[in-house]
Amino acid sequence: MSPDARGTKAPPLLVLDDIRKSFGAVAALRGVHLELHPGEAHALVGENGAGKSTLVKILAGAHAPDSGRMTLDGHPLLLRGPADARSAGIAVIYQEPTLFPDLTVAENIFMGRQPLRSFRRIDTREMNRAAERLFDRLGVRIDPSRPARGLSIADQQLVEIAKALSFDARILVMDEPTAALSGVEVERLFGVARSLCERGAAVLFISHRFDEVFDLCQRLTVLRDGAWVSSDRTADLTVDEVVRRMVGRDVASLYPKQDAPLRDTLLEVRGLSRAGVFSDVSFSVRGGEIVALAGLVGAGRSEVARAIFGIDRHDAGEVRVAGRVLPAGSPRKAIAAGMALVPEDRRQQGLVMELSVERNATLARRRALSRLGLLSGGAERAEARQWTTRLQVKTSRLAAPVATLSGGNQQKVVLAKWLATRPRILIIDEPTRGIDVGTKSEVHRLLSELAGEGLAILMISSELPEVLGMADRVLVMHEGRLVRELSRDEADETSVMFAATGQGATA
Amino acid sequence: MSLTDTGVTERIANTSPPDAGRPRRRLTERLLAVRELSLLLALGALILVTMLHNDRFLSSQSIKDLLLGCAILVILAVGQTLVIITRNVDLSVGSILGLVAFATGELFLAAPGTPWPAALLLGVALGAVCGAVNGGLIAVAKVPALVITLGTLYAFRGIDYYWAAGQQINAADMPRSFLRLGNQTLLGVPVLFLVALVVVAAAGFYLHSYRSGRELYAIGSEPAAARLSGVPVGRRVFAVFVASGALAGLAGVLYAARFGTLDAAAGTGLELQVVAAAVVGGVAIFGGSGSVFGAALGAVLLTTIGSSLAVLRIDPFWQQAVVGALILAAIGLDRLLAARMAARLRGRSARGA
């Protein structure tokens, strides 16, 4: 029996009908329909700001819809809070991990549901064992008794997934769970999702990666600007068709890196090492060039970027900017030398969520914008306006807190912040993580433009098409070492993956 | 019907990276142990230095005095720890203590025959009511606890002054049996200190072993995530303020029993000592970590400093400076330990998974 046939016969498990939700004057959802069938994975796609995350929050019980009906098994479903959603069997994996840094991994998974022993005491040993069983199921190794603080984003995401699995959920909602995961981890996650489906659960999967969407899901719903566009079987759809529905227009070529004349070497890294993290990393980047740092999650790419920028100290080696040695361990000197770093985790490292768009955009430029030590509001606003316009940041007003923006627009604000420092070298970590197709190509066009203006760009990316489309040269890392350098012509999916997985490592 | 029984797991287990000898000991617990050990060392050094100067510092009488002296601060520090762990603070504890102490005296004036256990219960109840006022205001006004309890600090003290109207209650006004509670010893240990020990042990056990106890840490560690995990944040925070108030009430009754002489100024300024004890004891002021044992040790250390500086004949001014230096040293130590742990954890996650 094909999944399609099963889907049409079984009554839907969860039905959302004409769901509406507004935040102040902004309508986030304008009449959304969704039917989840038991045993089916259902994809939800749409550009950033299309309302996907709002819908997830409603399913999670974190937001109450303004109007509309929800039914579970044909009975009206009322969620007064996250606890209600939980007891209804809805588990959610959020886009941004929501962990307690001070508590252990196992406690994070079982908060409020810890296994108990006599006198209702928490059975810590059993809890750790249960967490280990979940990780075994996911095929990963994370120490359940370590604190969540300091986990990489991929590991945090895995803890979130383990948390959702621990519910034995009837409905599993995954809001871009794969953004930070490596290929193997994604495969395992999908294996778990499929086995949940086989047991009659329904999965709602949100992703910008179409290969994954078509791989996992039987049905697909498109949202655009908070409104429902279509729901179809994935078998009847093509990627082009889906993209057209998402953006409501044809998207220009996805990866438009233009050839730019190469200038002098701006960034030179020699023998950079940090004990236990990476060792003997050497490469250079010239003005006008985009160099991609590829590799699996955990290969040490972000750590190299942090060391180059001076956030972490390195044990050996040196970094030269335009021929001059950069003092180690000083981001301030790195900025002064014309370097900018757009970090991977923009929520924690790139933005002050409570501050306004304009404050964030000009955060790295305070000195230049101040007179006698006082920040000039006018200068700040003018500067912010210039960059937000150039980057097409969608915000109701510049004074709005960054937290109110969608993921793609937040990324643009981080970019604006660093571009405002007029850098010569731009290091950008996962430039389009969790960003919709439209914004993605805007970011790519912008990077290409910047290279054309003579910037040296070092781009860390886990998305192969992005690496292949954007990079003039590809450096591949594997377990803390630079194992391969590929020119644009040499680089293709096979050669990069071959090197990234450590096969035939000949640097 | 767990998935673990299927062949999938086996395949996964085979493809997973080799186990690189996972560390078994809980890092968080070790960090706390280090923190509490450093407090004990500081306490030991302090006692040693003082003893070298005056060997009667460790006589059984002065130890008894010391334990008696720190008992009330320890009880308050436990309540404060519960509050601080949830990323809040209770500045009204000194005023609650003063109000309850005076109320206890008034109770014995009005009804001299009241048995002391009844007085104790009434005092705890009055403290809990004050705590409920704090918790209720915080829940309704949605204003940081710092501001609310700063307000109630003055409000409760004001009620105390209005009630007392300049009058003083003396030991003679209170029954013997009650006053004995304040100075009696059991096997050489002051009863007051035993009460404090029981409070510390109970709160420590609760925080470590009960779901709602762990939820307090979750709330302080990441309030938004706690809400998403279905933790009843509002209810827990309210309960924590009631508990802090009740413990301040208990401390108030014990204060009355110990000193006998009461006016409206009892316990003035105590709140900052209590917060200092918690911070010195390693309770993170932004919530999410720390233990009542640490806070209790912090309270003992602060009390000991007070009496040993007196023995060493050091100007009381320096006592304040020493306490200040100690707070800064404690924060420095916390930062150092946190940085070292972060480095180790980062290294581990880069290699693993």
Side-chain angles (χ1 to χ4, degrees), chain B residues 79-93:
Chain B
Q80 194 67 250
T81 302
L82 294 175
V83 174
I84 293 181
I85 279 174
T86 65
R87 209 182 269 194
N88 285 294
V89 72
D90 188 351
L91 292 182
S92 69
V93 287

Side-chain angles (χ1 to χ4, degrees), chain B residues 244-330:
Chain B
S244 171
L247 286 174
L250 174 67
V253 177
L254 298 182
Y255 185 96
R258 174 160 182 239
F259 294 104
T261 309
L262 300 167
D263 60 18
T268 303
L270 208 50
E271 55 281 337
L272 292 185
Q273 269 190 63
V274 175
V275 174
V279 170
V280 167
V283 179
I285 199 75
F286 282 121
S289 82
S291 76
V292 287
F293 306 111
L297 278 175
V300 173
L301 184 60
L302 288 190
T303 317
T304 313
I305 286 177
S307 37
S308 72
L309 290 186
V311 167
L312 294 172
R313 296 218 180 77
I314 291 174
D315 192 305
F317 162 76
W318 285 107
Q319 186 183 334
Q320 308 255 341
V322 167
V323 170
L326 199 66
I327 291 173
L328 295 180

Side-chain angles (χ1 to χ4, degrees), chain A residues 137-349:
Chain A
R137 219 164 123 183
L138 287 167
V140 294
R141 293 228 168 267
I142 299 175
D143 180 2
S145 63
R146 64 161 282 169
R149 189 184 300 280
L151 282 175
S152 68
I153 294 206
D155 285 354
Q156 289 181 36
Q157 199 62 266
L158 288 166
V159 173
E160 288 283 336
I161 291 165
K163 195 197 290 180
L165 282 182
S166 69
F167 288 121
D168 249 332
R170 298 180 64 204
I171 296 164
L172 177 64
V173 181
M174 303 193 283
D175 191 357
E176 291 191 45
T178 60
L181 300 185
S182 70
V184 190
E185 289 162 341
V186 170
E187 236 351 276
R188 282 177 192 146
L189 173 62
F190 283 8
V192 171
R194 287 195 186 99
S195 69
L196 278 175
C197 281
E198 276 161 28
R199 289 196 271 161
V203 171
L204 183 66
F205 180 65
I206 297 168
S207 176
H208 288 118
R209 296 184 180 171
F210 292 116
D211 47 341
E212 292 174 0
V213 163
F214 281 91
D215 181 20
L216 180 70
C217 301
Q218 288 85 49
R219 275 169 204 274
L220 181 145
T221 292
V222 180
L223 295 184
R224 187 169 68 227
D225 299 329
W228 176 84
V229 176
S230 68
S231 291
D232 296 279
R233 286 190 199 143
T234 46
D236 306 336
L237 289 168
T238 61
V239 172
D240 287 351
E241 180 58 33
V242 174
V243 171
R244 235 190 326 276
R245 287 183 192 176
M246 278 167 59
V247 296
R249 62 187 139 85
D250 287 312
V251 189
S253 164
L254 265 175
Y255 305 106
K257 156 71 175 158
Q258 311 292 324
D259 278 327
L262 292 189
R263 307 182 191 197
D264 297 338
T265 298
L266 282 178
L267 174 67
E268 205 173 353
V269 177
R270 278 191 207 153
L272 206 65
S273 301
R274 182 173 160 84
V277 185
F278 56 82
S279 60
D280 198 20
V281 172
S282 303
F283 63 89
S284 64
V285 186
R286 299 171 68 175
E289 193 180 31
I290 298 183
V291 172
L293 203 51
L296 300 178
V297 170
R301 296 168 300 165
S302 305
E303 289 77 5
V304 168
R306 288 169 62 90
I308 292 175
F309 196 62
I311 299 169
D312 297 334
R313 285 195 164 271
H314 48 264
D315 306 325
E318 60 176 22
V319 176
R320 282 169 183 270
V321 174
R324 294 182 55 187
V325 176
L326 192 70
S330 168
R332 178 192 279 262
K333 298 241 168 70
I335 294 172
M339 207 187 275
L341 172 76
V342 180
E344 170 186 22
D345 186 349
R346 43 183 182 266
R347 223 162 232 279
Q348 278 184 16
Q349 298 172 3

